[in-house]
Amino acid sequence: MAIQSTPSRLGQVNLANDVDALFLKVFSGEIIASFEEANLMLPITKVRTISSGKVASFAVTGVASAQYHTPGESVLSTGDTTGYGNTTASSTAAMTVAFDGGSNKYLQRFRHNEKQIFIDDVLVSSVFVADIDELKNHYDVRSTYSREIGRALAYTADKNLIRTVIAGARVATDRFGGTNATYLGAQIDVSAASSSTNASEDLIAALFSAAQKMDEANVPTDGRYALLTPANYYKLVNGDGAKIAINKDYGGNGNIAKGQIVEIAGITVMKSNHIPTASETSATNVHNASGIKNDPFATNGVGYGQANFGATEGIVFHTDAVGTVKLMDLSVESDYIMDRLGTLMLAKYAMGHGILREECCYELIT
């Protein structure tokens, strides 16, 4: 007797091929959202909050110098000033004070200038959720949406600040109009930083080069940071140069088990996915939108972008390098719109970013 080998499948619709079509999909209770990226820059750079206005001004002064006094001379009198002072702003000594019109070798005139950071237009991220969709849906999306639109703005601020440090490293004129290399940032070629052909040793040498330049510019030792791409960060952990960065016999303070580097050359080393690594000279994105009022790259008002980052490997900076001015801090709001039968969720902030001290900005390139 023949045995029936075709069972009746409970999940089929009208004996169609999909044997699971009618089975219930059980919600796991978990929404798989994007992982939160690390936002690093705002807590380790200068931030000023203003209650009104469109721009904040940061006063800049020069440094004093000293002269030996000739017995009997008045410090108020005129006399031979040969070899004293500096009177030309374009001189390589432009950071020092100028003496009184070249006629007095004792009295000084301090150089003054200002750094201005403008408030960019309000940056927003928003989403509209219809009532009918929420009623049909079997899980809550509001908490996820509010978190994601808030993150979008935080990421933008982080990326803009990193670009501002890069712009500071590329500035050719110091804040007094001079060209004193001591008071300018620099691009440090990682591949030429050492005689080694090893990438991790080159990175370590580049960090020491940045530390040296900061020391020569009298940048404080506290508050020095380096941000590297993950690829470069793990070269320090796992490359041949890791014996220097991690091995305690070399003074290292990292941990290969945790994949962590703490400091190199007194610089706190961190990794970030927000470092730009491609050319944006012709790109149109949120970093060079028309609502941006700051122009750190001095490229006719195109904001924090439209520059070539193809050679960028990371940045080294001090907390005084760049600043942020806030008029309206990050906030997330929601409002029910009756005539559209749904809820609008919106995140917003109004702030701007700018260079404060060029000598605190360094870009690692290849």
Side-chain angles (χ1 to χ4, degrees), residues 58-80:
F58 294 79
V60 177
T61 60
V63 295
S65 58
Q67 307 294 346
Y68 285 103
H69 180 257
T70 300
E73 281 190 353
S74 170
V75 295
L76 299 176
S77 65
T78 60
D80 181 17

Side-chain angles (χ1 to χ4, degrees), residues 3 15 32 55 61 80 84 124 169 172 189 220 225-226 228-230 252 257 365:
I3 298 176
L15 302 180
I32 302 176
V55 60
T61 60
D80 181 17
Y84 292 94
V124 300
D189 189 346
Y225 294 90
L228 304 176
T229 61
I365 63 170

Side-chain angles (χ1 to χ4, degrees), residues 51-344:
S51 58
S52 62
K54 66 177 183 179
V55 60
S57 176
F58 294 79
V60 177
T61 60
V63 295
S65 58
Q67 307 294 346
Y68 285 103
H69 180 257
T70 300
E73 281 190 353
S74 170
V75 295
L76 299 176
S77 65
T78 60
D80 181 17
T81 59
T82 303
Y84 292 94
N86 163 61
T87 58
T88 56
S90 60
S91 150
T92 56
M95 289 297 292
T96 61
V97 298
F99 282 76
D100 188 16
S103 63
N104 189 299
K105 65 182 181 182
Y106 297 119
L107 293 183
Q108 306 174 55
R109 292 181 299 154
F110 278 86
R111 297 188 182 279
H112 293 268
N113 206 335
E114 66 177 359
K115 289 283 189 178
Q116 291 185 329
I117 299 180
F118 292 85
I119 299 295
D120 298 329
D121 287 352
V122 179
L123 186 68
V124 300
S125 179
S126 60
V127 61
F128 181 82
V129 183
D131 281 351
I132 188 65
D133 289 343
E134 280 199 285
L135 290 171
K136 290 179 178 179
N137 201 33
H138 57 286
Y139 59 90
D140 174 63
V141 296
R142 292 197 186 194
S143 60
T144 300
Y145 283 0
S146 63
R147 184 171 61 249
E148 291 300 320
I149 60 178
R151 285 178 182 175
L153 298 192
Y155 296 164
T156 302
D158 206 54
K159 293 174 182 178
N160 286 343
L161 279 167
I162 290 173
R163 285 164 165 78
T164 303
V165 172
I166 294 172
R170 299 181 183 184
V171 171
T173 305
D174 66 44
R175 54 188 172 274
F176 290 99
T179 56
N180 188 345
T182 303
Y183 300 99
L184 291 172
Q187 292 178 305
I188 299 174
D189 189 346
V190 174
S191 59
S194 74
S195 58
S196 171
T197 57
N198 181 272
S200 59
E201 291 183 7
D202 286 343
L203 282 167
I204 292 170
L207 292 172
F208 273 96
S209 178
Q212 175 187 336
K213 292 179 183 296
M214 285 185 174
D215 288 344
E216 292 169 348
N218 299 314
V219 175
T221 54
D222 292 337
R224 297 181 181 183
Y225 294 90
L227 262 64
L228 304 176
T229 61
N232 283 324
Y233 183 88
Y234 288 113
K235 286 177 184 176
L236 295 177
V237 178
N238 197 36
D240 290 343
K243 65 182 181 182
I244 301 173
I246 290 180
N247 195 324
K248 289 180 173 54
D249 292 337
Y250 290 84
N253 53 14
N255 189 320
I256 196 168
K258 294 181 179 180
Q260 184 181 58
I261 293 289
V262 181
E263 280 187 342
I264 294 177
I267 299 170
T268 301
V269 183
M270 299 181 291
K271 58 182 180 292
S272 173
N273 281 323
H274 292 167
I275 297 171
T277 56
S279 176
E280 297 181 6
T281 52
S282 58
T284 300
N285 54 39
V286 69
H287 306 296
N288 52 52
S290 59
I292 297 175
K293 309 303 181 185
N294 294 283
D295 186 18
F297 286 97
T299 47
N300 300 318
V302 293
Y304 311 102
Q306 287 204 346
N308 189 350
F309 304 109
T312 304
E313 300 287 344
I315 58 173
V316 182
F317 63 97
H318 186 266
T319 52
D320 289 338
V322 297
T324 296
V325 176
K326 294 181 178 181
L327 180 62
M328 180 170 57
D329 208 346
L330 174 62
S331 62
V332 180
E333 303 173 359
S334 64
D335 188 26
Y336 183 76
I337 304 178
M338 185 178 298
D339 64 328
R340 296 185 181 273
L341 298 180
T343 301
L344 174 66

